[in-house]
Amino acid sequence: MISLADYLQLLPKTELHCHLTSTMRARTLHELAGRYGVPLWTDDVEKLFDFDDLVDFLRGWRVAHEVLRTPDDIARVAWEGVEDAVREGNLRYREYYINPQYFAHHASPLSYVEVIDAVIAGLSRAERDFGVGFRVVVAINRRESAEAAVELVREVIANPRPEVVGIGQDDLTPENTEDPLRFADAYALAGAHGLRRTAHVGETPTASPENVRAAIEVLGCDRIDHGYRVVDDPSVLALAQERRIGFATTPWSTTICSGWTLDEGHRIRTMVDAGLPVSVSTDDALFFRTDLGREYREGLTALGLGIEDAQRIALAGIDMAFCDEDDKQRLRADFRAAFLALDALLAR
Ligand SMILES: [Zn+2]
């Protein structure tokens, strides 16, 4: 006999919306910051992860990139993040946003290839050790220019890796907005070269449903990160439903970055009720003191969602993933077998 909380904890999971730097352990952050003499964003250890809002959090998040100085640091963090997520939430497959533009600004810059190959090395070792498959999505830093984004996509195209399957985004524009259309040229180039596309839209307090529409119609995304404003306009909701757009949501982060309460009136609940494909991720586990198990155990429960919803959400993560169809079929079979085993434990 297991409790509902145990059931949700043990449920096999995918995670599609996950920034690699945010999978770092707090003690690794401290250790590397000490080694390289990087001052963290506050001296008060108790308040290190107390953020007022999205803009406040992003200040800390940028600093955290500075402690990753070598390919070995990056590979270590990648591996440790998988070990933790398996223990904390039975992670089975993950996609990572990695933003090479931050590492180009280090005192000893790391190249695109150095960063990406370090990520792949760490995650490949973790796949051998824990059986967790992965893909990498290169994130456009919205703080940088539209031209820099095009340049980044050119690097992705010029240095193909089978593990690198698409482009996404992180950070905010210098004006602290989403502004999806600013990066239209980078997305067009990515699309022309067969890269998958996703974008962070519909999250911030000033975001509108039109940002979600732009990501779908102009950027060519078939998956959206956050996207909560989709339910604010019936015509955008209908567009997303018609095109079966998947949404990689992050419940806990919305309590900080969007200022919302997790309850039955939350937009994620409305998205689930509208039949949109919804998956659940941590976004930035280190900074928001969350983990994948907690997102299901506490997040879904607070939204008023039950076991069948949790199973549907776990499977939606497979449908929306950017991996091959063979990988998806294996994951679906594994997940369904695990559901049956867990159902038996719950009913006993
Ligand atoms: Zn994100």
Side-chain angles (χ1 to χ4, degrees):
M1 184 77 182
I2 57 171
S3 67
L4 174 61
D6 288 341
Y7 186 103
L8 294 173
Q9 172 93 13
L10 293 168
L11 197 77
K13 300 175 189 71
T14 61
E15 180 163 41
L16 303 180
H17 184 163
C18 173
H19 301 268
L20 185 102
T21 302
S22 305
T23 68
M24 193 167 9
R25 291 173 180 162
R27 66 174 181 273
T28 301
L29 173 70
H30 284 288
E31 180 194 320
L32 294 176
R35 181 185 305 169
Y36 298 123
V38 175
L40 296 179
W41 48 97
T42 169
D43 295 331
D44 189 342
V45 176
E46 296 289 311
K47 294 202 171 130
L48 196 59
F49 301 118
D50 287 346
F51 298 108
D52 293 336
D53 54 30
L54 177 56
V55 171
D56 187 34
F57 146 66
L58 285 170
R59 284 189 203 109
W61 189 72
R62 286 177 208 124
V63 171
H65 287 79
E66 293 173 24
V67 311
L68 301 175
R69 293 294 175 90
T70 70
D72 282 351
D73 297 336
I74 294 172
R76 170 189 170 181
V77 165
W79 186 90
E80 289 180 351
V82 179
E83 184 185 48
D84 291 351
V86 169
R87 186 183 62 250
E88 293 163 346
N90 197 13
L91 175 72
R92 308 311 307 151
Y93 173 83
R94 201 185 233 173
E95 292 181 2
Y96 293 82
Y97 294 121
I98 178 77
N99 176 344
Q101 289 169 301
Y102 281 118
F103 301 95
H105 295 313
H106 284 2
S108 302
L110 294 174
S111 70
Y112 170 83
V113 166
E114 284 175 312
V115 172
I116 290 297
D117 285 350
V119 171
I120 292 171
L123 295 177
S124 297
R125 187 157 70 84
E127 183 170 15
R128 289 194 294 277
D129 291 345
F130 308 113
V132 175
F134 73 93
R135 292 291 188 278
V136 174
V137 176
V138 174
I140 289 169
N141 185 348
R142 289 182 288 189
R143 214 155 187 80
E144 305 229 5
S145 67
E147 293 74 27
V150 170
E151 197 47 49
L152 178 63
V153 174
R154 284 205 185 104
E155 285 218 75
V156 178
I157 294 163
N159 300 281
R161 301 285 184 274
E163 295 87 352
V164 178
V165 290
I167 62 159
Q169 303 173 331
D170 61 19
D171 215 316
L172 287 171
T173 70
E175 302 82 30
N176 292 323
T177 61
E178 295 177 352
D179 199 4
L181 295 176
R182 182 175 303 191
F183 305 102
D185 289 347
Y187 275 77
L189 181 63
H193 285 82
L195 290 166
R196 305 296 298 268
R197 287 160 287 171
T198 176
H200 279 54
V201 288
E203 176 195 24
T204 63
T206 57
S208 82
E210 288 309 309
N211 293 20
V212 180
R213 188 197 303 278
I216 298 169
E217 290 192 330
V218 182
L219 303 188
C221 296
D222 53 16
R223 192 169 97 199
I224 304 281
D225 295 297
H226 303 298
Y228 314 117
R229 301 280 170 187
V230 67
V231 295
D232 293 7
D233 181 330
S235 69
V236 180
L237 178 59
L239 173 71
Q241 287 169 322
E242 185 194 312
R243 303 224 188 154
R244 294 295 295 161
I245 303 295
F247 289 82
T249 71
T250 64
W252 205 261
S253 87
T254 69
T255 67
I256 299 151
C257 298
S258 307
W260 297 334
T261 305
L262 284 178
D263 59 23
E264 294 183 13
H266 194 286
R267 286 179 174 82
I268 294 175
R269 172 64 190 269
T270 312
M271 292 160 76
V272 170
D273 290 348
L276 293 173
V278 169
S279 69
V280 161
S281 301
T282 58
D283 205 349
D284 302 286
L286 168 71
F287 300 96
F288 301 145
R289 295 190 182 96
T290 188
D291 62 64
L292 197 52
R294 185 188 190 192
E295 296 287 345
Y296 276 69
R297 265 188 345 263
E298 298 181 26
L300 295 189
T301 305
L303 296 171
L305 298 170
I307 284 177
E308 284 181 17
D309 301 304
Q311 291 182 349
R312 241 193 322 272
I313 284 167
L315 290 172
I318 302 174
D319 296 341
M320 292 157 53
F322 289 166
C323 59
D324 308 333
E325 198 49 45
D326 286 356
D327 295 328
K328 293 189 183 192
Q329 290 197 0
R330 260 193 304 278
L331 282 167
R332 285 189 193 105
D334 288 351
F335 277 36
R336 292 213 169 92
F339 294 169
L340 286 175
L342 285 169
D343 287 349
L345 284 173
L346 193 69
R348 198 177 301 158

